[in-house]
Amino acid sequence: MISELLLNLIVLIPAAIFCSTITYLLTLYNSHLGDGLYRNGAAVIASLAFFVCVFGVSYYRVKYPRLFLAALQSMPLPFFCFTRDIYVTQFDVMLPAGIVYPLIIGCGVALVVNLCLWPETAAKASETSLGNMFIALRQALAQYSAEETVSHDKLKIATDAMQKAQREAKYEIVISNYRPAWYKPLTHSMERLANHIYGMSLALERAQRIMVRHQVQHELYDSERTLVEKPAYKHISRLHASITPTTQEFLSTCIRALEQLQHTMAQQRAIPASFMGPQTGHVSLQETLEELHRRVLITLHDEFEHEAPMEEHFLVYTILYTLTAFGKDMVQLEKHVDELLQKKKSKWTVFWPQISLRQWLSRPPSGNRTPEEQVMLDQRAKEFEEIEKKVLSQVPLQHRPGRHFWNRWLYRLSKFLQYGPTRYALKFTVTAELLALMAWLPIPGINHIYDNNHGQWALLSAMVVSNVTIGATALQCFFRIVATVIGAVCGYIVLLAAHRNENPYALAVVVFVFQMPMWYVHLGTRYPRIGMISLLTMAVIVSAGFTDLFDETLIEPLWKRILTAVVAVLVVMGIEQIFWPTWARKLLVRHLSQLLIDTGIQYAEVTSLVCQDNILSPSYISSSSKICQSQRELERQCAMTKQMLGLAASEARPTKAPFPIKEYGQILELEKRVLYWIQHVYEAQIVAPTAAYRQEMASTVHLYLFTLAGSLCTRTSLPAKMPTAELARQMLHQHHLTNWQSKYRDLEPDRANFEALMYWHACAAGTVEIILLQESMAETVATLMGQHIFPRRDVYLE
């Protein structure tokens, strides 16, 4: 919080200096009007300075996410300094100072209260999130061990909270025994553990579904529906039952190990002492992992003695492979915990952010944010994290740059106008200029009327409702009007109870009573904006009525506040429709289409990596690094698409049925699973000389996802017959299984070969699941966009 308060002052001071300078120049201009200067020149200068200041603050507010909240403190300066008393000849220093010093006092009071009453620091939030992550991991393992449905939402919430807390602590001034950067290896290990649990639950869910289906019918798919035979899982129930005791014993050991690590960290103050549970004693994870590996090899030895190769091993051995990877990461987690505790400082130490100023400004600030604000901040943070790369290959003709200097100049101008912060700043600045236009009209006395009727309130209303999409802006406008009415009515009741300013004690008591439910709505409900705006409106109404600077009746501030809010809403919505209108549902379709295309490219790259013979070659290492970066980028794209899905749910479609949020959510969930299985294939890969089959399968998967993306982006029906990679996959897997079966006797003494066989089963399961998931995705897309149908044979005969 200390860094945020300092940042508020840093942002506030330049705006105050600029506004004070321009205000002083206005008084000089007005004092020399008798020398033949333009009578309304002060209004022209004020309007231009207003445009420059509002555009600059708005631009850098969105460009640097750290300034998103801090820049709001400086917005009232141009709102009041360039619209109030612009024709005076005496410079009043209290006009800008009267806006600055209450903000400084408020920051100081907030700091003192936060330090004295239940102090919350970034280090404490980070440590608490780690303790919650330990609990979430143990609960998920217990659910999986009992073969119950694992609560992915709880685990995901705990993981996201841990990542957010660690990221914010790294960019804050921290007072603790441990530097926030020391937790980074620990959090990475815990993220991988959560990812392994997600994968095991997916494989178990799929295996259980197959086993239940076997109890009802003899074969999994109807052979008449397709020319390609689907996998036949004939003995998966027996195989799953044979490994269940081993997995349960291993999971119980992992749960005890997590309890011991949690106790140790709480004892050493690495996490709060409230997380200190019972000590379970030393648990040897390495020995447990070796025992699991021995059981896996025994099971593999027993199961692979079938005469014919079978595909029933895929999902079950995926579970065993993931358990093995989970155990290795648990061993790494123990090592990282020991390394962290060895770095502990004996006394509380102040740790400053060890990053550049630009990196610090590029991170969003801590605190509660609406989904719309989160989308805007994540977009800006993503732009800072992207690394500019020079493409060595030839640029396609469609995207080839111009050869002349004006082509390059126009290209830069076009990119600047397409930049998110530029568009936001221009839209908001134009809105503010229109709302403040009355103060600058060349009509005698119009500026006085604007001031006396609180015209600046419309600017403040527009400041808090402007958003990233039209739907989000409309929703915030609705919240603004509702909250303004609530706050204005409450403020009017407060003034009635206190007889304006005759009984300040009664005023304080009634304000305290009214603000309690408002704070609850702000902090404890799904509509925080209503609570905050109602609080601010009540404070403004009470302040205006109590001071009575404009000689108004008690009811006048109420209806003026509501009227200015309505005018601001109408102007904001009009500007949103004229300048670069953005709909969340259109962004959702665009993001989802691009995500599907990039997913197909990622799968093709992973497959091409497996086709390389030498894993030590520079091309292999470079491709592997590129795949890891692309996987992280795809995960960010998926998270951004999910945010757009939430924004699209609030947008109304007056001329059509409600937007099919459920179907798009299903596609996104299937896409999330596809991304996991692609990463699973990458991690479980083995190099084998089967490039032809792999390339055909990868190209078909890429084409399949490209077709789905094209249907979504162009809103057209799917083809009657979609390409299938099942035939190439079966030929590839048959080749592998036959190869393993023929060499089984020679490989038996070598343990490493058994591990490679288990890895191949896990890789094969990932390929099967990707193909099945994209087919399920196609069914949902066909529900959304339709699908062409071949006429039946009897139609041709007619």
Side-chain angles (χ1 to χ4, degrees):
M1 185 177 181
I2 297 176
S3 60
E4 298 301 325
L5 296 179
L6 293 177
L7 188 63
N8 289 342
L9 296 178
I10 293 174
V11 175
L12 190 63
I13 291 174
I17 293 175
F18 177 81
C19 293
S20 300
T21 303
I22 299 299
T23 304
Y24 178 72
L25 293 178
L26 291 178
T27 59
L28 291 179
Y29 185 93
N30 294 328
S31 61
H32 292 80
L33 284 178
D35 298 338
L37 297 177
Y38 176 52
R39 183 176 60 85
N40 202 46
V44 175
I45 298 173
S47 63
L48 294 176
F50 183 90
F51 184 93
V52 172
C53 187
V54 173
F55 179 84
V57 173
S58 303
Y59 178 82
Y60 286 103
R61 178 187 179 226
V62 181
K63 180 178 175 62
Y64 295 105
R66 180 69 62 174
L67 304 178
F68 189 76
L69 297 177
L72 289 178
Q73 308 289 338
S74 58
M75 279 292 189
L77 281 166
F79 290 170
F80 287 89
C81 291
F82 298 144
T83 59
R84 174 175 292 179
D85 297 334
I86 59 175
Y87 294 106
V88 297
T89 57
Q90 296 292 330
F91 176 66
D92 184 9
V93 71
M94 289 305 298
L95 180 58
I99 300 174
V100 173
Y101 82 81
L103 296 177
I104 297 177
I105 293 175
C107 291
V109 172
L111 177 62
V112 172
V113 172
N114 187 65
L115 292 176
C116 297
L117 300 178
W118 304 292
E120 292 289 338
T121 62
K124 184 178 179 180
S126 172
E127 295 166 1
T128 303
S129 67
L130 278 175
N132 293 329
M133 189 64 186
F134 274 110
I135 296 176
L137 287 174
R138 288 193 288 108
Q139 290 177 349
L141 288 178
Q143 290 174 347
Y144 182 85
S145 179
E147 296 190 357
E148 299 176 355
T149 302
V150 179
S151 179
H152 298 306
D153 292 337
K154 293 183 179 179
L155 190 59
K156 179 65 175 175
I157 291 173
T159 305
D160 292 343
M162 179 188 67
Q163 293 173 343
K164 178 182 176 182
Q166 292 297 319
R167 185 168 55 247
E168 290 178 353
K170 183 174 65 175
Y171 291 95
E172 300 286 344
I173 301 174
V174 173
I175 302 176
S176 176
N177 297 104
Y178 302 91
R179 183 181 293 276
W182 297 343
Y183 287 93
K184 188 175 181 179
L186 186 65
T187 56
H188 285 179
S189 295
M190 300 184 81
E191 291 171 16
R192 288 185 57 83
L193 292 178
N195 195 38
H196 290 321
I197 294 175
Y198 177 70
M200 288 189 295
S201 63
L202 288 182
L204 180 62
E205 178 186 351
R206 174 77 175 148
Q208 288 177 341
R209 193 183 304 122
I210 295 174
M211 288 185 286
V212 170
R213 189 177 302 172
H214 280 183
Q215 299 174 2
V216 194
Q217 57 186 13
H218 293 289
E219 45 183 40
L220 183 59
Y221 292 94
D222 186 0
S223 60
E224 296 179 357
R225 294 180 57 187
T226 177
L227 297 177
V228 181
E229 184 182 359
K230 296 293 182 177
Y233 298 86
K234 299 177 181 177
H235 305 286
I236 192 172
S237 301
R238 176 178 56 82
L239 182 60
H240 181 263
S242 65
I243 69 167
T244 299
T246 304
T247 58
Q248 289 182 346
E249 180 182 353
F250 177 75
L251 291 175
S252 62
T253 304
C254 291
I255 292 174
R256 293 197 304 272
L258 287 173
E259 290 178 349
Q260 179 61 29
L261 290 176
Q262 179 180 335
H263 175 84
T264 303
M265 292 188 68
Q267 193 175 26
Q268 296 295 326
R269 295 184 179 179
I271 59 176
S274 58
F275 290 99
M276 186 182 298
Q279 189 171 4
T280 58
H282 178 70
V283 179
S284 179
L285 280 174
Q286 191 65 41
E287 295 179 1
T288 307
L289 185 59
E290 291 292 334
E291 179 64 20
L292 173 67
H293 217 126
R294 188 180 66 82
R295 297 284 184 88
V296 169
L297 297 183
I298 293 175
T299 304
L300 182 62
H301 175 79
D302 295 339
E303 289 295 328
F304 208 72
E305 287 187 339
H306 294 293
E307 295 181 0
M310 296 160 49
E311 293 183 347
E312 64 185 34
H313 306 80
F314 292 170
L315 286 172
V316 176
Y317 276 99
T318 293
I319 297 175
L320 293 177
Y321 162 76
T322 311
L323 281 174
T324 304
F326 187 90
K328 292 179 180 178
D329 283 328
M330 281 292 299
V331 174
Q332 290 295 321
L333 180 63
E334 281 189 334
K335 185 184 301 184
H336 293 324
V337 169
D338 293 338
E339 293 174 354
L340 174 67
L341 299 181
Q342 290 175 3
K343 297 178 181 178
K344 177 184 177 182
K345 299 291 185 179
S346 58
K347 298 180 180 180
W348 294 94
T349 308
V350 178
F351 296 103
W352 297 85
Q354 295 182 335
I355 54 175
S356 64
L357 178 62
R358 189 171 183 270
Q359 288 178 326
W360 184 63
L361 292 176
S362 67
R363 300 305 310 176
S366 59
N368 297 326
R369 292 182 287 271
T370 63
E372 298 81 8
E373 294 173 346
Q374 190 64 45
V375 169
M376 188 182 299
L377 295 177
D378 288 346
Q379 287 178 341
R380 301 286 75 76
K382 177 184 174 183
E383 292 173 358
F384 279 98
E385 291 177 0
E386 291 178 349
I387 301 175
E388 296 181 357
K389 299 179 180 179
K390 295 182 179 180
V391 182
L392 300 179
S393 60
Q394 185 178 5
V395 180
L397 290 175
Q398 178 68 25
H399 306 292
R400 185 169 295 178
R403 294 178 297 175
H404 304 287
F405 72 92
W406 62 80
N407 297 128
R408 293 189 294 270
W409 186 85
L410 290 175
Y411 176 79
R412 295 191 185 97
L413 178 62
S414 174
K415 284 296 182 182
F416 178 74
L417 293 177
Q418 293 175 7
Y419 191 37
T422 304
R423 291 188 171 185
Y424 173 83
L426 282 175
K427 288 196 293 187
F428 179 71
T429 304
V430 171
T431 301
E433 287 278 348
L434 291 177
L435 291 174
L437 183 62
M438 181 179 176
W440 304 317
L441 293 176
I443 301 175
I446 194 69
N447 182 265
H448 184 70
I449 296 174
Y450 183 86
D451 287 341
N452 289 349
N453 291 276
H454 308 285
Q456 294 85 0
W457 286 355
L459 296 169
L460 297 175
S461 297
M463 179 181 66
V464 297
V465 299
S466 296
N467 229 299
V468 62
T469 64
I470 293 179
T473 302
L475 185 64
Q476 296 303 321
C477 289
F478 173 75
F479 288 162
R480 174 69 190 187
I481 293 176
V482 172
T484 299
V485 172
I486 295 174
V489 171
C490 292
Y492 177 70
I493 296 174
V494 169
L495 293 175
L496 284 178
H499 298 285
R500 192 185 287 274
N501 51 13
E502 294 180 3
N503 194 344
Y505 300 104
L507 183 143
V509 172
V510 180
V511 166
F512 178 80
V513 171
F514 278 142
Q515 73 174 343
M516 296 303 292
M518 295 179 182
W519 277 113
Y520 175 78
V521 173
H522 174 59
L523 299 175
T525 66
R526 297 171 53 190
Y527 308 103
R529 187 60 63 91
I530 292 180
M532 176 55 66
I533 295 177
S534 59
L535 270 169
L536 296 177
T537 302
M538 183 180 68
V540 170
I541 295 297
V542 171
S543 175
F546 187 84
T547 56
D548 194 19
L549 296 178
F550 299 101
D551 226 2
E552 298 172 310
T553 63
L554 288 181
I555 197 67
E556 284 187 30
L558 186 147
W559 68 261
K560 289 178 182 179
R561 183 69 174 183
I562 296 176
L563 179 61
T564 53
V566 172
V567 172
V569 164
L570 294 176
V571 174
V572 168
M573 291 304 301
I575 296 299
E576 285 285 343
Q577 294 287 346
I578 297 173
F579 292 93
W580 303 295
T582 304
W583 292 95
R585 55 178 177 266
K586 293 183 180 180
L587 291 178
L588 169 64
V589 174
R590 188 189 310 167
H591 282 55
L592 185 57
S593 302
Q594 188 62 45
L595 180 60
L596 293 178
I597 293 174
D598 293 342
T599 301
I601 296 173
Q602 176 75 351
Y603 181 74
E605 290 180 348
V606 170
T607 305
S608 65
L609 186 70
V610 182
C611 296
Q612 300 185 28
D613 296 330
N614 186 8
I615 62 175
L616 300 178
S617 63
S619 62
Y620 183 93
I621 297 174
S622 175
S623 300
S624 179
S625 176
K626 181 181 178 182
I627 288 173
C628 293
Q629 294 177 1
S630 299
Q631 185 70 20
R632 290 192 293 268
E633 178 63 27
L634 286 171
E635 292 174 356
R636 284 196 291 264
Q637 281 183 275
C638 190
M640 182 65 66
T641 308
K642 187 176 181 180
Q643 291 177 341
M644 289 299 171
L645 183 69
L647 295 183
S650 62
E651 290 185 350
R653 298 204 302 178
T655 61
K656 297 181 181 179
F659 191 72
I661 291 295
K662 180 180 179 182
E663 284 72 16
Y664 280 98
Q666 292 174 355
I667 296 175
L668 197 57
E669 179 61 28
L670 293 172
E671 167 65 19
K672 180 182 176 182
R673 297 189 179 193
V674 169
L675 290 179
Y676 168 78
W677 286 113
I678 291 176
Q679 182 68 14
H680 183 83
V681 171
Y682 168 71
E683 293 178 352
Q685 62 182 317
I686 57 171
V687 178
T690 53
Y693 295 128
R694 292 185 185 275
Q695 289 175 358
E696 182 178 353
M697 181 176 61
S699 62
T700 308
V701 171
H702 186 188
L703 178 61
Y704 200 103
L705 293 174
F706 186 85
T707 305
L708 296 181
S711 176
L712 288 172
C713 190
T714 60
R715 293 177 175 84
T716 54
S717 301
L718 288 173
K721 185 66 176 177
M722 295 289 289
T724 177
E726 184 61 25
L727 182 59
R729 185 199 66 79
Q730 285 192 8
M731 295 177 66
L732 173 65
H733 291 179
Q734 184 70 22
H735 176 83
H736 273 307
L737 286 169
T738 305
N739 187 33
W740 282 112
Q741 192 75 18
S742 62
K743 298 179 180 179
Y744 171 72
R745 296 299 177 184
D746 299 333
L747 299 178
E748 186 173 358
D750 193 350
R751 171 176 173 175
N753 291 316
F754 281 105
E755 294 180 4
L757 180 59
M758 182 182 66
Y759 282 13
W760 180 82
H761 279 95
C763 182
T767 304
V768 173
E769 292 302 309
I770 289 171
I771 294 175
L772 294 177
L773 286 171
Q774 71 174 9
E775 291 178 356
S776 300
M777 203 180 296
E779 295 177 0
T780 308
V781 174
T783 303
L784 286 170
M785 304 300 171
Q787 185 173 13
H788 293 288
I789 301 175
F790 282 129
R792 298 190 305 272
R793 185 172 180 271
D794 53 356
V795 176
Y796 288 108
L797 294 177
E798 293 177 359

